[in-house]
Structures are given as C-alpha cells and as structure tokens.
Amino acid sequence: MTHVTERSNDAADGDRQPWQAGAGRNRGKRTVTYADAGVSIHAGERAVELLKNKVRRASRPEVMGDLGGFAGLFRLDAKKYKNPILASSTDGVGTKLVIAQQLNIHDTVGIDLVAMVVDDLVACGAEPLFLLDYIACGEVEPEKVAEIGAGIADGCRYAGCALLGGETAEHPGVLRPDEYDLSATGVGVVEEADLLGRDRVEVGDVVIAMRSSGLHSNGYSLVRHVLLGAGRMRLETVVEEFGRQRTLGEELLTPTKIYAKDCLGMIAECEVRALAHVTGGGIPGNLVRVLPDHVDAVVNRSTWKPQSIFELVQAKGRIEDPEMESTFNMGVGMFAVVSAADADRALAFLAGRGVDAWHAGEIIEGTGTVQMIGQHTRG
C-alpha cells in the first residue's frame, strides 16, 4: 500500500505548507480543515510507515522503485516467453470482514484477500506477478491498517507475488469508524501455449480435489444469518467438534488456503488440463467452468469428509444439500483435471508439498455438466 487517497491540511504549528488556499485572508477567523471532516493524512502516513518492512518482504526481483510513488513499477522480462499472456483478477473478502471487526482481529483477512485473487489467476496457468490492494475505512487507525496490510503482505509471500502498491481511503460518514472493506487486483503471466482451460479437457481425465482450510471466504452472509442470527451462537463459544478448544470465531476466521505455488509446481511436473478454484457457486458452479460441451465431470462425495463447520451450518440452518453445495466449497478449495497417466504423479507431488489431495472423480462423455454422486462420510 503506497499512500492514502484522502488528505488533510492540519499541519502542526510552525510547519510550512507548500500551498494553502486563501493564504493571507481571514487570518483572524477559525477555518474548517479536512481533519474537521474526519480525514487525517497523518494517520494514513503512520500506517504506511508501520507497513514498510512487511511490504518490502513481499517483493520480487522485477519490482522497481520504492514505496510512495504514484504507480508501482514492474519490469516484465519478455525474453522468458515466446508469446506471454497477461492475466488479471480482482476480488474482495466479503462479509467475513464483519467477523474480523467483531473480534478485533485483523491480521488474517489480508491472506483471504490475496487467496481469492491469486488462485483465480493460477486457474488459467498464470504465475501471479503482483497485487494492488485497496482499503476503505471509516477512520484510519494506523495499527489496525498495519495489521490488515501485514496479512496482505504475508499472503503475497505465500503466493510468490509482489505487493506492488495500493490505496488506503478514509470515508467518514460513509463507514463507521471501526468499519473497513478490502479489495485487490492481481496480474499474472502465462505462456500462450501453456494456457489451461476447457479446450484441453478430455474424456478419461482424472479429477483431483485439494482440501480447503474451511469456509475460505464465501457464504459468510448465510453463515452469519444461520449461526449468529437465528442460531444465537456467540463467536467466543468453544465448539467441541472443532477440537483443540477452538472457538467459533477462530474457525470462521481461518485464512483461505493459497494454492498458487502448489498448482504452478504441479503444472511444471505433470500434464494438467485445467484448474477450478472453488469459490462462490460451490463445487458444481465452478468445476463446470472448465468443462467443454461434450464431457461431464463425475465427482464422488464419498471420497472425502467436509470439515465440521459445514455440518454445523447445515444443521443449525436446516439447509438442504443442493443449497449447501451451491454456496460453500464443502471441503474442496481447488480441483485439478489431469491426464489419467499423470494422476498418481500429481497426487504424489501434492503430498510432497503437504497438500491434502485425492482422486475425487473422472471426466466422461456428456453435455458439459457436473454430476455429484455418492454421499459424504458423516460423524
């Protein structure tokens, strides 16, 4: 994050301003400043100062310049590619932020933000290069903004991309002082010949599932309605099913898993046809996006057990199975469609990187739909 968009002119006594509107007029009258409207440049600059070391660690050799410029600079080495294709993605965290604000825990939602962007990029085979973030808040609290930014920087390091810059905007009167919202845009690059997608998927390919870390960053409006609203649960409540004396709030703030480096490594080692990042729309709504019209994906639910949080949400809300599967990831954060010959190799590669992955289904002749068969293991 390079700078703060909203600025004030409330300089300390004796500080010189390079320019001041109406200088020399009405010197005896109290004038209104930007700070009177609730915007402080000093808080924003303090937040940036607190973040500098974290941001510098979330970098790459191609990054040019330092923090504070009007634009982030990134030198793309075009010689590495024959026909480089730039990929871009933008996303936010959604109402998971409400949980963070209620618990006053802000150092993990930045990881969620990065995950939602970079794992969309890698789905087409692109290596994430850099990310730009945007933080809008009712009041800039430097320490809180620094915590948010630290999470974003951590996420970028996990993904192998640079945090190239961003904005922190103060919106008094629009957001409450304790409220904030996040978004980010990422850019990646892929060789044109290596683009993944539906045109590569063939009958006989294997569908590999990679376990999610939990809810990730989708469906939180329904989760909050079911658990905190109608269910009257408290975020501080210890839920026995979660284990290790884990509270509901801790479970709901579990950061989204970032698969980018794992998937890029697998692409380099195996014949990967397509990747499907499971976000809003659930498994059927996202896996279908990589299927050509002449095939179906058959996914067998019996090959995995969703985490306890999904059972809790479904039981408390009395939610039907189709609604759960169209809203949540149900324990799978990423699918890979790989050639049958390379399926075992892909699974071994992911296991070596500590990724919980398994053979979840196959590609058959069909009409471009996802067939969910079997039942999840319960209990």
Side-chain angles (χ1 to χ4, degrees):
M1 297 177 309
T2 54
H3 56 284
V4 180
T5 54
E6 302 291 354
R7 306 282 186 175
S8 74
N9 295 319
D10 54 338
D13 291 343
D15 289 349
R16 293 186 61 189
Q17 294 293 311
W19 180 84
Q20 187 172 10
R25 293 180 293 158
N26 300 321
R27 290 184 176 175
K29 296 181 180 180
R30 172 70 169 91
T31 59
V32 176
T33 68
Y34 213 173
D36 292 329
V39 178
S40 171
I41 181 177
H42 303 300
E45 290 179 341
R46 171 63 177 156
V48 172
E49 190 63 32
L50 290 172
L51 267 174
K52 279 186 175 180
N53 288 335
K54 271 280 188 179
V55 174
R56 287 194 177 104
R57 289 198 292 271
S59 188
R60 290 173 56 114
E62 301 96 327
V63 174
M64 301 173 62
D66 202 353
L67 301 177
F70 285 100
L73 302 177
F74 190 95
R75 180 185 286 108
L76 179 64
D77 184 3
K79 294 179 181 179
K80 291 173 57 177
Y81 309 91
K82 293 181 179 178
N83 295 294
I85 301 295
L86 293 179
S88 64
S89 176
T90 189
D91 212 333
V93 180
T95 60
K96 186 173 186 175
L97 294 177
V98 175
I99 307 298
Q101 291 161 22
Q102 289 176 340
L103 290 174
N104 198 30
I105 297 174
H106 313 286
D107 59 351
T108 60
V109 289
I111 299 174
D112 294 296
L113 179 64
V114 176
M116 299 303 285
V117 173
V118 299
D119 286 338
D120 275 357
L121 290 175
V122 81
C124 71
E127 176 188 2
L129 296 177
F130 58 82
L131 182 134
L132 304 167
D133 66 64
Y134 179 79
I135 303 175
C137 51
E139 178 182 331
V140 171
E141 298 179 33
E143 289 74 18
K144 180 190 293 187
V145 172
E147 288 181 29
I148 297 167
I152 298 172
D154 286 341
C156 287
R157 287 193 297 105
Y158 302 155
C161 67
L163 179 53
L164 195 58
E167 289 282 334
T168 301
E170 199 163 24
H171 292 170
V174 178
L175 298 170
R176 293 197 309 265
D178 61 332
E179 287 183 327
Y180 60 86
D181 196 11
L182 306 178
S183 66
T185 296
V187 173
V189 64
V190 57
E191 185 68 65
E192 184 173 8
D194 298 330
L195 272 171
L196 303 182
R198 64 180 67 198
D199 59 309
R200 290 177 175 253
V201 176
E202 302 175 358
V203 172
D205 287 344
V206 170
V207 178
I208 290 175
M210 294 174 238
R211 184 170 294 279
S212 68
S213 56
L215 291 167
H216 283 186
S217 297
N218 298 104
Y220 272 76
S221 293
L222 179 56
V223 169
R224 289 167 45 243
H225 172 73
V226 167
L227 299 185
L228 306 181
R232 299 184 181 278
M233 294 185 69
R234 297 176 59 84
L235 294 172
E236 299 80 10
T237 301
V238 173
V239 180
E240 182 179 350
E241 290 81 0
F242 297 160
R244 304 190 308 279
Q245 292 294 302
R246 189 171 173 83
T247 67
L248 176 61
E250 289 172 330
E251 178 66 29
L252 295 183
L253 282 187
T254 301
T256 303
K257 179 168 177 56
I258 295 176
Y259 301 93
K261 283 187 174 181
D262 304 316
C263 289
L264 289 172
M266 180 175 57
I267 291 168
E269 295 289 330
C270 310
E271 184 63 35
V272 178
R273 315 283 201 195
L275 294 168
H277 184 201
V278 184
T279 55
I283 291 172
N286 286 282
L287 188 53
V288 73
R289 296 164 69 179
V290 300
L291 299 181
D293 293 338
H294 65 282
V295 307
D296 284 357
V298 179
V299 176
N300 192 338
R301 300 182 187 91
S302 68
T303 60
W304 82 94
K305 179 181 182 297
Q307 293 91 331
S308 298
I309 183 62
F310 298 105
E311 294 184 30
L312 177 65
V313 170
Q314 184 166 20
K316 285 286 187 180
R318 299 190 295 277
I319 303 172
E320 298 290 336
D321 287 345
E323 183 68 17
M324 288 293 296
E325 288 190 336
S326 66
T327 305
F328 303 108
N329 67 59
M330 299 304 295
V332 179
M334 183 75 79
F335 281 105
V337 180
V338 304
S339 68
D342 268 9
D344 289 342
R345 185 177 182 183
L347 287 170
F349 174 84
L350 292 171
R353 290 186 60 88
V355 179
D356 187 0
W358 62 94
H359 183 154
E362 56 272 333
I363 302 297
I364 64 171
E365 292 184 1
T367 58
T369 63
V370 177
Q371 301 181 27
M372 303 291 294
I373 66 172
Q375 296 298 323
H376 293 300
T377 304
R378 302 287 181 177

